[in-house]
Amino acid sequence: MDFALIGFGVSNRSVLRFIIEKKLGNVFISEKNALSDSDKKFFIENGVEFEEYGNTKKVLDAKLIIYSPSVRPDDPIVKDAVDEGRAIGEIEFAWRYVLDGSRIVAITGSNGKTTTVSLIDHILKTAHIDHFTGGNIGTAASDRRNENISILEISSFQLMGTKNFLPDIGAVLNISPNHLDWHLNLKEYVDAKMKLSGSKNFIYNSDSNLIPKVHGIKVSKSNGDVLVDEKGFKIGQTYFSIEGSKLFGIHNIYNAAFAAFTSKLLGIPDEKIIEGLKTFSPLEHRQEIFAVLDGITYVNDSKSTTSESTLKALDDFKGSIVIICGRPKEKDYSTLADGLRKKSKAVIIMGEIAPFIEPLIQDVKYSKVTSMKEAVFAAQKEAKIGDVVLLSPAATSFDMFKDYQDRGKTFKRIVLDGNINA
C-alpha cells in the first residue's frame, strides 16, 4: 500500500482528503478506538482499507506512514519506520505534499500561539491579503490548497513528527515547562520547540529563560531587535502602541510584537499593521472579561493550562479570587503556589490538580470544591465590590470537561445564570 494513517482525528482526516483528491495512492486507516459508521461508509465508498480498536503491524506495509500528533515517534508501532524515514507527522506530510508554492509561517510557544496566529490572520485580512490559517488552531495544515501564504500554529507534539520542515518564518514566543506528562523530559520539549530555529527567518523571545540563545531576530524588553515595553513595541524607527486596542497585558504586547514583525516580513505596510492591532478582538477563553455583575468582574481564562500562563493572568488581575482546576501536566507546582500566595485574594481548587496544590497553599485562603457551580458560588461568597473572579486553571480540562472551551463556556453560563447545573 502507499499510505497508512495511524489515528483518524482532525489532522489525518485532512491528509486522507488530500490523498483522495490528488489521487496520490491507496490508503490504510488504523484507529485504536471505534470508527463512526459514517467514516466507515466513506472508506468503503472510496476504496480505503481500515481497522479499528487497535493499531496492528499492517501499517508497516505502507510506503509512508502518517501518525497522529498524539502518537510519540518512539511508540513501538512506528519507531522502526520513523528511524527508516517512512513514518512522519501531518505537518511533515503537509510540507512535502501540500504547502508547496506557499510562504510558510510557523508559530510555536508554551503560551500565546493561538492569539498570535489569530492576530497575524486578522492583520492580513485587514490588508486584504489572501492566505491560509491552520495547524494546531483547528484547521489542519493539509487543508491548504492554493493560498500564497500559510500561517500555522504548531505544537510541540506536531514538531516531534517533523523531519525536514523548514518554514520561511518560524517563531518561538516563549517556553515554560509544559506537557511533561507526554514528553520524556523538559529537554525533549524544548528541543521540539527549537526545531523552528532552522527557519529561513527565525524570531524568538530572548527574555524567555528556557529558549537557548541562538542566531535569530530577538524580541525583548532590553536587548531586542524588536523592543517591548509596557505600552507597545518598537520595530526599527516605528513605535507601535497598543493603547486604545483590546489587547490587555504584557504577554499580549509580546504576542502583538511577534505578529507585527511577522506581518512586516510578509510585506504588510505599517499602517495596516496598526489598523489590525487596533481592530483585533481577543479570543474567547483568553483573559476574556465577559461580565461585571454587582460590581464584581468575571474573567474567563480557561485557555491557561500552565502555571506560567496563570501567573501572567494574576499579574494582569492582581488580587483576584482565582479558580484553579483540571488535570495536572506539570511535575512541580511550587512556583504557582508562591504566585497564588503573593498575587491572589483567595483560591478555589477542584479536580485532579487539587491534591497537588492543596499541600502547597496551607497559608493561603482557599476553598476546595467538586464542581464548577460550587467554584463560582464559593468565589461569589468571597468577592466584594471591585473584586475580580478569575478562572485561570493552570491545568488541562480533561478530568471534568471535553476541552478548555467547554470549561470556559460552563464557567460563563454559571456566572450569567446561576441556575444552570455544571
Side-chain angles (χ1 to χ4, degrees), residues 7-16 67-69 90 140-142 158:
F8 197 60
V10 172
S11 59
N12 273 347
R13 285 176 186 276
S14 296
V15 170
L16 180 62
Y67 54 90
S68 163
E90 182 263 338
S142 295
Q158 290 170 314

Side-chain angles (χ1 to χ4, degrees), residues 14 261 272 345 380:
S14 296
F261 194 85
K272 288 298 180 183
K345 177 179 179 179
Q380 289 174 334

